[in-house]
Amino acid sequence: MNPILYAALCVVVPAVWALVSVGLFRLWERRKK
Amino acid sequence: MSWLWIDAGGAQVWLPGVLVLGAIVGTMAGLFGVGGGFLLTPLLSVVFGVPLEIAVGTGLCQMVGTSLASFLKHRALEQGESRFAVLLAAGTFLGVELGAGAVSSLRRLGSVPGLPILWIDLVAKSGFAAFLLLISFLSWRRRTRLEPADPTPGPLARLQLGPRVFMPAVGFDAPAMVIAYLGLLLGFMAGFIGIGGGTVLLPLLVYGFGFPFRHGAATGLGLMVATAAVGTVTHAFRGHVSLPLAMALLVASTLTAQIGAGLTRRLKAGTLHGGFAAVTALVAASLVWDVLRRL
């Protein structure tokens, strides 16, 4: 794979995963209440 | 059961073990605002057999997600001082360059006569281990002291040096110049020894500036996202990041980072100080072990 694309993926994918995880966690907390 | 194994730089890594490791690193990031590189890198390398350069690069890559998740959770709880983090950032990036330059210069001194270890490794790592043991001792003593209801400025915040910046979350101001130079020091430590961020910043914020523990843990995380992203790009260009392994770590760590951040509100300040004492003692022990195994 192109090294620039791979480097971008290595930063973007974990960041997107973190945002999804935070969203899901907030949703779960709201439902719990 | 081949799906239980991940290939990372030629090493086969057991997925359930990685999930447990991710959960531990995430909890530490949420509770103490530390990156966990001191724990993650040696464990991936020694226990799971991942080549060291891949362990370092992958650790940074997972830290982008873990510190971001923890940072966002702390922000939702209105914890942390963003002004402080911005002032730190400028000094940090310059400090990393200075630290890396100092390493190159000191490497020329060569190794200790009669011993297979470089002067720089011996002096820097033993010095840093001694500093961490002092922090660990201070934190341990603090665990029995009650945290005041209103935060009071610490000795570094009381210094009368140039313009001051007000920090609304903690309710007092501090000299901007001292914060910027603190960033320079943190960056220097990171470039010089490879460990920086939370383990150095948190004690300075809590004991130096007088931040309540939970605000201290939250403040460094925004900076950590940026530092981890820059480090990840550098390592990914050299092919030293295993994205599948980083994602496996992130599945657990992004969740536990948010639980850890939430726990800073529920746990007593004394428990947090005690926990941080244990973490810094562990980092010091890992540094001492690193020096001893080279002798």
Side-chain angles (χ1 to χ4, degrees):
Chain A
M1 192 190 284
N2 181 326
I4 298 173
L5 182 66
Y6 188 65
L9 272 179
C10 286
V11 174
V12 173
V13 173
V16 170
W17 173 258
L19 291 173
V20 171
S21 157
V22 168
L24 288 174
F25 195 77
R26 275 188 198 164
L27 210 67
W28 175 74
E29 275 184 324
R30 249 180 243 167
R31 287 193 118 192
K32 208 174 66 169
K33 279 174 190 167
Chain B
M1 297 286 266
S2 62
W3 57 272
L4 276 178
W5 298 86
I6 300 169
D7 181 76
Q12 294 298 312
V13 185
W14 192 49
L15 183 62
V18 173
L19 291 175
V20 172
L21 185 56
I24 297 170
V25 171
T27 311
M28 288 209 178
L31 270 177
F32 307 119
V34 298
F38 67 91
L39 186 75
L40 187 63
T41 310
L43 282 179
L44 279 178
S45 165
V46 176
V47 179
F48 293 96
V50 176
L52 188 65
E53 64 277 12
I54 306 273
V56 173
T58 307
L60 282 164
C61 177
Q62 72 84 32
M63 196 38 65
V64 173
T66 309
S67 49
L68 182 62
S70 182
F71 171 72
L72 292 172
K73 178 68 182 173
H74 276 290
R75 248 181 70 134
L77 295 169
E78 295 175 354
Q79 293 179 168
E81 272 299 347
S82 45
R83 291 178 190 188
F84 198 103
V86 170
L87 275 169
L88 276 178
T92 304
F93 293 116
L94 178 64
V96 171
E97 280 298 312
L98 289 175
V103 170
S104 312
S105 311
L106 285 170
R107 273 196 192 283
R108 291 189 206 118
L109 287 176
S111 50
V112 181
L115 292 173
I117 187 168
L118 293 172
W119 271 112
I120 182 170
D121 283 335
L122 183 69
V123 175
K125 290 188 176 166
S126 338
F128 193 47
F131 166 75
L132 287 174
L133 284 175
L134 174 73
I135 295 298
S136 177
F137 173 71
L138 286 174
S139 299
W140 188 251
R141 275 185 42 178
R142 271 280 190 109
R143 102 203 120 84
T144 49
R145 206 188 298 171
L146 284 174
E147 202 160 62
D150 292 318
T152 45
L156 289 175
R158 286 198 302 267
L159 285 174
Q160 297 298 324
L161 278 171
R164 305 181 71 80
V165 57
F166 181 71
M167 297 173 290
V170 290
F172 56 77
D173 57 10
M177 204 162 75
V178 173
I179 303 170
Y181 276 102
L182 176 65
L184 194 72
L185 173 76
L186 286 175
F188 185 84
M189 300 283 278
F192 193 63
I193 202 164
I195 290 177
T199 35
V200 182
L201 181 59
L202 183 61
L204 286 170
L205 287 175
V206 175
Y207 308 123
F209 285 89
F211 275 41
F213 198 95
R214 57 198 171 92
H215 286 294
T219 300
L221 283 162
L223 184 67
M224 207 177 283
V225 178
T227 318
V230 173
T232 302
V233 169
T234 316
H235 281 81
F237 264 122
R238 293 174 186 153
H240 292 166
V241 177
S242 163
L243 197 52
L245 179 58
M247 289 311 293
L249 287 162
L250 277 166
V251 168
S253 68
T254 45
L255 182 70
T256 54
Q258 294 176 76
I259 296 171
L263 278 177
T264 55
R265 284 228 154 173
R266 295 194 187 162
L267 292 176
K268 286 181 184 157
T271 314
L272 291 169
H273 282 286
F276 189 66
V279 169
T280 40
L282 197 67
V283 184
S286 80
L287 285 168
V288 171
W289 180 74
D290 193 43
V291 169
L292 289 179
R293 80 191 167 94
R294 287 163 196 236
L295 293 176

